[in-house]
Amino acid sequence: MRNAIVQFLLCGSLTFGIWMLLLCVYFHHDHVGDGQAESQEPASIWSLEKKSQPPISHGPGQTPGHPVQAERPNEDETKDLVGKDVKFMDAELLQGFTKYGFNTIISESLGTVRPLPDTRNEMCHRKHYPAQLPTASVVICFHDEEFNALFRTVASVMHFTPHQLLEEIILVDDMSKFEDLKEKLDYRLEKFRGKVKLVRNERREGLIRARMAGAARASGDVLVFLDSHCEVNRMWLQPLLAAVAKHRRTVACPVIDVIDPMTLEYRPSPVVRGAFDWHLRFKWDNVLSYEMEGPEGPIRPIRSPAMAGGIFAINRHYFNEIGQYDKDMDLWGGEHLELSLRIWMCGGQLLVLPCSRVGHIVKHNTENLTEASRALTRNNLRLVHVWLDEYKEQYLLKRPGLKSVPYGNISERVELRKRLGCKSFQWYLDTIFPELEASKGNR
Ligand SMILES: *[C@@H]1O[C@H](CO)[C@@H](O)[C@H](O)[C@H]1NC(C)=O
Ligand SMILES: *[C@@H]1O[C@H](CO)[C@@H](O)[C@H](O)[C@H]1NC(C)=O
Ligand SMILES: [Mn+2]
């Protein structure tokens, strides 16, 4: 369908193109709504668009009147935005959106570096970090990413990271097809020679295995995973490294600021914690008030039941010890929740560091929905069968269609869980995420 849109545009049928876009937007919404009723996994554009957009997003799944909702973009806002601007949309803009999921005209005009607003709380300015911190290997995987967005990700890391803390940036090209990501990228990365390594997969592995490939080549003390359409902000790395250095089993996430897909405006996000519902859909949740008590108040690290997606820091050896990722998961989706459960249930902790800020483009999905949906279903089933204990039945009961969906051999992961001596899912519910248990009735 995407090709059809492009062709029609080339023929000058702009009106038709706009209608198609509106239809796409409408269809996405429709799909999100339907997803819950069907036995198939919900195909939210947010959860699907994970490679590019880990469910670092917003609206769907949040309860109405949620205070966070007003401050974070949600799907309806995005729809309005697209709807409002659609009359100004020219063919190039539309083509960029279909190909990359955001406004590539602005992305090109911004170039490779731009000034960013300091979105941190004032108290962060007075915070000091140890002089001796571990070094970081920043791992960025990409597949057919827009050149400037990718390059800005790398350039912002180079710009806002103290040289001595950055062991390397490892770029993993997960079999991109776009021409500008080949020689042109090699050539442009020359200026970061010595710091940036580019690894190219021989076949499409999906985000999960691409990350593992990147991690396997890293030599820094701490692995820091980023999406390929981010801009890190000032002092982004020190809070993450300090948290990981303090407790080896701490996994540290920054606050994810919003980069608007239409305007590429960089906007602050409130400090929220990651959560999910009984459909395993990620959502943001309010920070419990006691988490913000004490002298540090609003800049205190927040315990988070789940991570949003692909942006976090973890001790490299610890990452290996707790079993990296499930290599039999496909493309993307579910792996961030699987890792979150594994961290908490197997003796680690997951924190959001309010003084660390990383901007992330809230991309629209550009992937093949059939394939993405299939991968998400498979990945979630693997998670459910390994980690959910008796709650597995509860998950499957509402989705009889999933009973016959194959999810591969999970014995290695079950073995891993035993070997690590992990606690039960009931313990996780009781101790880390009681709000999920409480929401059982209205799931
Ligand atoms: C999406 O993937 C499915 C299965 O691989 C394939 O049959 C279908 O043609 C693809 N759709 C598009 C639009 O590429
Ligand atoms: C699953 O994998 C394990 C080893 O990882 C193997 O021993 C076992 O036979 C496999 N099970 C099936 C049904 O293939
Ligand atoms: Mn993303």
Side-chain angles (χ1 to χ4, degrees):
M1 189 173 67
R2 207 168 299 140
N3 283 342
I5 293 175
V6 173
Q7 270 171 18
F8 268 105
L9 286 175
L10 291 177
C11 296
S13 297
L14 182 59
T15 325
F16 180 82
I18 290 169
W19 269 108
M20 287 301 283
L21 181 76
L22 285 170
L23 268 174
C24 284
V25 170
Y26 177 79
F27 183 74
H28 273 154
H29 277 257
D30 214 22
H31 210 81
V32 171
D34 282 345
Q36 298 170 32
E38 288 163 9
S39 59
Q40 220 191 10
E41 260 314 86
S44 147
I45 54 168
W46 300 117
S47 48
L48 284 178
E49 196 269 302
K50 183 62 177 348
K51 154 89 201 214
S52 26
Q53 146 78 27
I56 287 174
S57 53
H58 319 292
Q62 279 184 0
T63 45
H66 197 289
V68 167
Q69 201 167 28
E71 292 168 79
R72 297 193 75 101
N74 58 34
E75 275 188 279
D76 289 325
E77 246 175 78
T78 314
K79 182 187 178 185
D80 289 349
L81 194 62
V82 175
K84 223 179 333 190
D85 288 356
V86 101
K87 56 179 172 292
F88 305 115
M89 256 208 188
D90 63 13
E92 195 188 345
L93 179 53
L94 192 52
Q95 201 181 343
F97 250 93
T98 356
K99 193 169 169 191
Y100 295 108
F102 60 96
N103 189 331
T104 53
I105 299 176
I106 295 186
S107 186
E108 275 164 37
S109 72
L110 289 175
T112 52
V113 229
R114 62 158 164 174
L116 294 179
D118 187 349
T119 52
R120 297 170 300 162
N121 185 297
E122 290 270 320
M123 287 174 77
C124 298
H125 302 197
R126 295 190 295 275
K127 198 153 168 57
H128 294 285
Y129 297 97
Q132 289 294 320
L133 283 172
T135 59
S137 292
V138 176
V139 177
I140 302 167
C141 304
F142 63 95
H143 173 74
D144 288 343
E145 184 58 270
E146 196 261 338
F147 183 90
N148 295 282
L150 174 64
F151 208 84
R152 268 197 308 278
T153 308
V154 176
S156 71
V157 171
M158 293 300 294
H159 183 70
F160 281 124
T161 311
H163 197 263
Q164 73 278 9
L165 295 182
L166 185 63
E167 175 71 30
E168 65 207 339
I169 298 176
I170 299 176
L171 287 174
V172 183
D173 174 8
D174 194 15
M175 193 69 191
S176 297
K177 297 181 297 292
F178 298 157
E179 275 309 313
D180 59 354
L181 297 173
K182 296 175 182 168
E183 288 82 25
K184 179 182 169 191
L185 183 61
D186 291 333
Y187 175 75
R188 293 286 297 279
L189 287 173
E190 275 290 301
K191 79 186 241 201
F192 303 131
R193 201 174 31 202
K195 278 289 187 197
V196 178
K197 292 179 190 162
L198 176 54
V199 180
R200 298 201 194 259
N201 286 344
E202 304 273 305
R203 55 171 192 164
R204 182 93 196 263
E205 294 288 354
L207 176 69
I208 296 159
R209 286 190 291 275
R211 287 223 170 124
M212 292 168 74
R217 284 166 175 85
S219 53
D221 305 316
V222 174
L223 295 168
V224 182
F225 294 98
L226 288 181
D227 279 14
S228 53
H229 37 267
C230 290
E231 282 166 79
V232 303
N233 212 319
R234 36 186 82 60
M235 291 287 284
W236 73 289
L237 187 60
Q238 289 89 331
L240 303 178
L241 293 181
V244 173
K246 194 166 163 195
H247 295 291
R248 190 171 171 278
R249 294 174 166 204
T250 290
V251 177
C253 302
V255 173
I256 314 290
D257 284 335
V258 169
I259 304 178
D260 189 292
M262 181 57 89
T263 62
L264 294 201
E265 182 197 358
Y266 187 110
R267 289 199 301 264
S269 289
V271 177
V272 281
R273 46 180 215 149
F276 55 91
D277 63 15
W278 284 106
H279 296 276
L280 301 179
R281 284 174 308 203
F282 180 85
K283 58 175 186 167
W284 295 108
D285 205 355
N286 278 341
V287 173
L288 305 174
S289 54
Y290 68 78
E291 295 273 359
M292 297 216 250
E293 282 165 7
E296 284 202 298
I299 65 165
R300 198 176 127 174
I302 305 295
R303 286 151 43 100
S304 186
M307 64 168 74
I311 306 181
F312 62 96
I314 187 169
N315 178 297
R316 183 164 58 86
H317 299 296
Y318 178 54
F319 181 68
N320 292 331
E321 279 162 34
I322 62 160
Q324 305 177 349
Y325 277 117
D326 177 351
K327 68 175 177 5
D328 292 319
M329 284 189 172
D330 290 334
L331 282 182
W332 62 86
E335 86 289 348
H336 59 307
L337 298 185
E338 193 268 347
L339 181 56
S340 305
L341 290 176
R342 187 148 40 89
I343 289 163
W344 280 118
M345 287 165 66
C346 312
Q349 62 171 349
L350 186 57
L351 301 181
V352 173
L353 278 292
C355 290
S356 172
R357 296 266 168 176
V358 172
H360 169 260
I361 301 181
V362 187
K363 276 173 58 152
H364 291 228
N365 181 48
T366 55
E367 280 286 349
N368 182 325
L369 283 178
T370 315
E371 284 175 9
S373 180
R374 186 183 299 153
L376 180 63
T377 302
R378 176 190 168 90
N379 298 352
N380 278 345
L381 279 173
R382 292 183 68 83
L383 179 164
V384 164
H385 282 278
V386 176
W387 295 101
L388 251 50
D389 301 334
E390 66 269 28
Y391 289 86
K392 169 170 85 181
E393 293 310 321
Q394 191 177 314
Y395 181 85
L396 294 173
L397 206 63
K398 293 259 171 144
R399 302 165 185 80
L402 291 188
K403 280 257 156 77
S404 56
V405 175
Y407 53 88
N409 186 343
I410 55 166
S411 62
E412 253 181 58
R413 302 306 285 182
V414 172
E415 197 50 47
L416 172 76
R417 182 175 167 179
K418 271 200 215 115
R419 192 169 72 242
L420 295 174
C422 307
K423 298 193 179 80
S424 68
F425 188 68
Q426 187 66 58
W427 173 89
Y428 173 81
L429 283 181
D430 292 343
T431 319
I432 306 303
F433 196 14
E435 298 77 13
L436 180 64
E437 173 95 80
S439 71
K440 203 157 61 179
N442 53 17
R443 71 205 196 90

